Amino acid sequence: SQQGEEDPQALSIQEGENATMNCSYKTSINNLQWYRQNSGRGLVHLILIRSNEREKHSGRLRVTLDTSKKSSSLLITASRAADTASYFCATDYSSASKIIFGSGTRLSIRP
Amino acid sequence: ETGVTQTPRHLVMGMTNKKSLKCEQHLGHNAMYWYKQSAKKPLELMFVYSLEERVENNSVPSRFSPECPNSSHLFLHLHTLQPEDSALYLCASSQDSQGAYEQYFGPGTRLTVT
């Protein structure tokens, strides 16, 4: 399977702390995307990072990409209760004409 | 509001019923997708349409039948479903189907098969 793997599967942190989630993938990619899903709702796109980029920022989100290790990380700084959600990486493999979603990380922010 | 709407939001149907899920996108995108999301399983891509032509069919049982009458509308026709088909069905759209662009998701239809 070419599915990306998120790590950890679940993460619980105190409000105000930083949250880091990782995604590993199998073969070369064109880009990698991160999505958020609140319970029982649709996914919301967060950031797209292309294979020739190493880091991207969007507000409190920072995404890094290490193509030599075939991995990406999503950092959420100064977490808030509203950040409680599942986070998915989706990889656009060079060998496929579609993006493939990982199984996700469930993030819980404790007040 | 992502620009992708889905109806109904909740659906309960018996195994002998026939029903349809509807998706509409207001973003001018050329590609539309159906996904199935079951508890504790990864998001499963079911069908992909590009400019109203089906370009992907991931070995989905024939009891699921997609229809894309134009680039803004996508349907999923359901008949003789099984209890294991109970899941959240998500529709998405993107500028094209090649994976280079982000996907915009609807809120989903929560389907329960009794």
Side-chain angles (χ1 to χ4, degrees):
Chain A
S1 166
Q2 289 185 306
Q3 179 188 332
E5 295 293 331
E6 282 97 337
D7 170 55
Q9 290 188 334
L11 178 63
S12 179
I13 61 172
Q14 204 75 30
E15 191 168 15
E17 294 180 338
N18 296 341
T20 299
M21 288 157 273
N22 303 296
C23 172
S24 59
Y25 56 90
K26 302 264 182 8
T27 59
S28 63
I29 61 172
N30 298 317
N31 67 65
L32 186 144
Q33 304 178 36
W34 285 92
Y35 290 79
R36 184 189 74 231
Q37 183 181 33
N38 291 90
S39 181
R41 306 297 303 272
L43 281 71
V44 175
H45 181 262
L46 297 175
I47 289 183
L48 181 153
I49 186 166
R50 303 198 185 279
S51 60
N52 61 352
E53 298 175 311
R54 291 297 166 258
E55 188 170 311
K56 286 191 85 167
H57 296 254
S58 176
R60 294 183 296 112
L61 307 181
R62 181 172 77 104
V63 167
T64 59
L65 180 64
D66 186 334
T67 53
S68 66
K69 295 181 179 178
K70 294 186 175 57
S71 68
S72 173
S73 66
L74 169 66
L75 169 67
I76 304 174
T77 60
S79 63
R80 305 168 181 170
D83 295 328
T84 294
S86 291
Y87 292 82
F88 296 86
C89 68
T91 41
D92 175 23
Y93 285 102
S94 306
S95 59
S97 57
K98 60 187 178 185
I99 66 172
I100 300 175
F101 285 84
S103 51
T105 293
R106 293 188 308 280
L107 174 65
S108 299
I109 309 298
R110 304 189 302 271
Chain B
E1 179 59 53
T2 62
V4 181
T5 58
Q6 289 186 245
T7 54
R9 294 293 308 277
H10 300 271
L11 178 62
V12 179
M13 60 185 288
M15 291 190 285
T16 58
N17 291 160
K18 287 185 180 182
K19 296 286 185 183
S20 296
L21 309 184
K22 178 183 176 182
C23 176
E24 184 173 0
Q25 58 101 355
H26 311 272
L27 302 168
H29 288 163
N30 292 322
M32 296 187 76
Y33 310 78
W34 280 117
Y35 288 90
K36 175 184 178 183
Q37 188 176 37
S38 306
K40 300 182 180 179
K41 290 179 73 174
L43 206 60
E44 300 174 59
L45 178 64
M46 300 175 73
F47 301 104
V48 180
Y49 276 83
S50 176
L51 296 171
E52 301 144 45
E53 285 194 27
R54 191 189 309 180
V55 297
E56 185 87 23
N57 177 353
N58 271 0
S59 303
V60 179
S62 59
R63 56 185 183 270
F64 295 91
S65 175
E67 178 190 2
C68 188
N70 55 63
S71 59
S72 298
H73 293 86
L74 184 65
F75 295 89
L76 187 63
H77 303 299
L78 316 172
H79 63 99
T80 58
L81 295 191
Q82 305 298 310
E84 61 264 29
D85 297 322
S86 298
L88 181 68
Y89 288 85
L90 294 164
C91 173
S93 71
S94 64
Q95 196 165 325
D96 73 26
S97 63
Q98 296 301 304
Y101 298 96
E102 59 268 35
Q103 294 186 11
Y104 292 78
F105 282 79
T109 294
R110 173 67 64 187
L111 173 67
T112 302
V113 180
T114 60

